[in-house]
Amino acid sequence: VRAYLGLDLLCPPLAELYAAWSAACPRMAEVAKCLPGVRVLQQDPVETVFAFICSQNNNVSRIALLMDRIRATLGSLLYNLPPEIQAFDDEGPYVTSRDLAHVREFNDRGAMYSFPTIEALAYCTDTALQKLGLGYRAPYIR
């Protein structure tokens, strides 16, 4: 977790980074007011490439859905979540007007999975990947 969040990296304090980022990007200035702990994640490069492939003609919710399905189907179980741990809509836990598939499926699954190995992805068929919702992207995943 510390590595993923970049907590041990030698860099300026977040307040200084926020000031610089906010000066360069009006959207970041708004985000910084609401999310004082936002960080640039140290994501695994392999997972990042596959997320980019999934991003073609998609929105963030759908990308999250596809990545969650890939993890749950081809990855390894990391741990089962306690029942009181639930994902919720980015508009808050009390918003019930939207039914986001990635939130619903994650909560129904109740578990965290690792991203699969490249070998597991390579052995998966296009048909199996298409059933996860990847459509025309399936051959690029394999």
Side-chain angles (χ1 to χ4, degrees), residues 123-134:
Y123 285 115
C124 195
T125 65
D126 286 351
T127 302
L129 291 169
Q130 288 169 343
K131 286 181 181 178
L132 297 179
L134 288 156

Side-chain angles (χ1 to χ4, degrees), residues 86-97 103:
Q86 295 280 302
F88 54 83
D89 188 320
D90 59 352
E91 292 185 11
Y94 306 109
V95 174
T96 58
S97 60
V103 172

